[in-house]
Amino acid sequence: MSPPRDTIYALSSGRPPAAIAVVRLSGPRAGAALEILTGRLPAPRMATLAKITGRGGVTIDYALALWFPSPNSETGEDVAELQVHGGRAVIEAVFAALSVIEGLRPAEPGEFTRRAFENGKLDLTAVEGLADLVMAETEAQRRQSFTHMTGALARHAETWRQRLIDALALIEARIDFSDEADVPEDLVTPAIVVVRALENEIGAVLADNRRGERLREGLVVAIAGPPNAGKSTLLNRIARREAAIVSPYAGTTRDVIETHLDLDGWPVTLLDTAGIRDSQDPVEIEGVRRARERAAAADLVLWVIDASRPLNAQLPPQAGERIWLVQNKIDLVPEQVRERNEAECQIHNTKAPGVNVNPELASEVNKELITSNEFPLTKCEYHFTVSAVEGSGIARLIGQLASFAKDSMGGAEASLVTRERHRRALEETRAALNRALKPEMRGDEDLLAEELRIASRSLGRLTGRIDVEDVLDRIFRDFCVGK
Ligand code: GDP
């Protein structure tokens, strides 16, 4: 028997002031506290109007009171909920009244969910899905986290574990009864068939290009390029809000600024990196170092250059599929050149990489670019001409970004792996299965059984059946108070 637990309480709704505030209590004294505050315990699971009385018999507010006796509650404990008017002073008064009741204390972040996990209401993958659902910013993220919260990964892990245990039972039978005549000689072969199938299935789940993780974290797109090319202006234009400082002086965007975008439901984080250039200023050197680091880790780099300036000094350090070239300030380029530039740009973008653009159509600006030995344009996946100030070309750039996001994350809702923790557990499982499948294992059933036990333990860790203490604190730390 575990010792009697504290009864915890917290504000479970958002930051006040708000129309309604939800105060939740969980633990053995939740019912008593509700009685003290409202004078009686409402019928279970029935929303009931109640008068909340505080210290000295003062009426605090009228509230909707809910009572969920154990075990049919979210945490599995007795749970009470009060929906009061969401003013700061109302909440303060309710908290003051709760704080003097014996056995009650404010909840830690994630403590309600932790109790639900400990009481077997949720497995660990569902807890993670719940955390992600609360944090989901886009529709695709919501769908993915909802799938996890409702047990998609846990169901697979549990089925795999069950099949593994069946295979293990066959091998153990072979070990235990190897001397007895009436045990079928070959119990190992059917076990190996199961192990091979599991290895294949888990391998297929792992071969998902990390789509699930990407969707959970959001695709990272770095805006980089020489100072004053208009990176901050472009970011503001894309994000339609003032996120970065726009200044006519070079080198003012010293830090990395993040903007979260929702492109057709796909999460994309834009990074405005400091103007990448060599500098003597220590603060700027640090900004440049961070910019390079973030840009290097990004899923895509938009390399922004000033179309009105010579190209040679503005080219990216290297070409590649992950770099899109954005010629900004096209409004400063004469109209005639601009039109040809755009036409050519479209031709270029519809051509397969490696196909040369017709030089007849090439504008002066692009001719220089195309013929530049330093930077073969054909190695750049896409090339855009835009004006961050006037807005031309921006819609096409955003459209292309949305397609890129969809290509990188599409189908990720079905992906079972959304965290490094899942990947590691499944990789460990698969490694053990692979070892078990080695031909030399066929003669050594003890070793074979041990590998299957290792595989089964890795799967158990995934859902939190075993060995979870080390990950629990990390997982619950990311929760907000009241969840
Ligand atoms: P960053 O250093 O690359 O972030 O450049 P900023 O966004 O701070 O822009 C530098 C200067 O270029 C500012 O004066 C902007 O107003 C100007 N600028 C940015 N984009 C454009 C554009 O498309 N057309 C014109 N004419 N000016 C621009």
Side-chain angles (χ1 to χ4, degrees), residues 223-236 244-253 272-276 304 306 308 327-333 386-392 394:
I223 299 186
N228 250 343
K231 297 182 294 297
S232 312
T233 316
L234 180 68
L235 182 127
N236 285 343
I245 317 148
V246 182
S247 144
Y249 307 105
T252 51
T253 320
D272 179 18
T273 59
I276 293 186
V304 183
D306 182 340
S308 68
Q327 271 185 295
N328 186 34
K329 307 197 191 181
I330 202 71
D331 55 290
L332 297 180
V333 174
V386 304
S387 167
V389 162
E390 290 186 347
S392 64
I394 301 294

Side-chain angles (χ1 to χ4, degrees), residues 281-438:
D281 175 1
V283 180
E284 192 162 320
I285 289 171
E286 175 55 21
V288 167
R289 192 193 61 76
R290 275 202 252 171
R292 289 219 162 99
E293 207 175 88
R294 294 296 298 272
D299 297 298
L300 174 71
V301 175
L302 298 182
W303 186 267
V304 183
I305 59 172
D306 182 340
S308 68
R309 288 183 48 231
L311 286 154
N312 286 343
Q314 301 191 77
L315 294 171
Q318 80 253 351
E321 284 202 352
R322 285 179 42 231
I323 299 183
W324 293 359
L325 192 70
V326 181
Q327 271 185 295
N328 186 34
K329 307 197 191 181
I330 202 71
D331 55 290
L332 297 180
V333 174
E335 188 70 31
Q336 195 195 6
V337 177
R338 209 202 298 187
E339 273 171 17
R340 278 154 69 189
N341 210 341
E342 272 163 19
E344 174 215 321
C345 197
Q346 263 162 22
I347 289 170
H348 182 79
N349 281 333
T350 52
K351 285 194 170 185
V355 178
N356 279 327
V357 175
N358 180 355
E360 288 302 308
L361 276 162
S363 67
E364 290 310 308
V365 173
N366 281 342
K367 220 180 244 165
E368 190 188 346
L369 192 60
I370 291 158
T371 52
S372 158
N373 291 332
E374 279 172 71
F375 186 75
L377 182 58
T378 45
K379 278 203 182 160
C380 233
E381 203 188 6
Y382 283 107
H383 172 207
F384 300 87
T385 49
V386 304
S387 167
V389 162
E390 290 186 347
S392 64
I394 301 294
R396 202 172 70 82
L397 175 59
I398 293 178
Q400 210 63 57
L401 274 177
S403 313
F404 179 73
K406 185 172 181 231
D407 289 347
S408 318
M409 297 180 271
E413 298 103 307
S415 178
L416 291 176
V417 179
T418 57
R419 292 172 185 245
E420 185 57 32
R421 192 184 77 79
H422 305 159
R423 191 165 291 283
R424 218 175 322 121
L426 289 182
E427 273 167 357
E428 279 165 21
T429 309
R430 193 185 183 200
L433 296 180
N434 265 324
R435 289 194 298 273
L437 285 170
K438 285 202 173 127

Side-chain angles (χ1 to χ4, degrees), residues 8 16 59 63 125 136 180 192 198 268 286 316 338 386 442 463 480:
I8 52 172
T59 303
T125 66
E180 293 175 25
I192 290 293
L198 285 175
V268 172
E286 175 55 21
R338 209 202 298 187
V386 304
R442 293 306 288 265
T463 49
C480 21

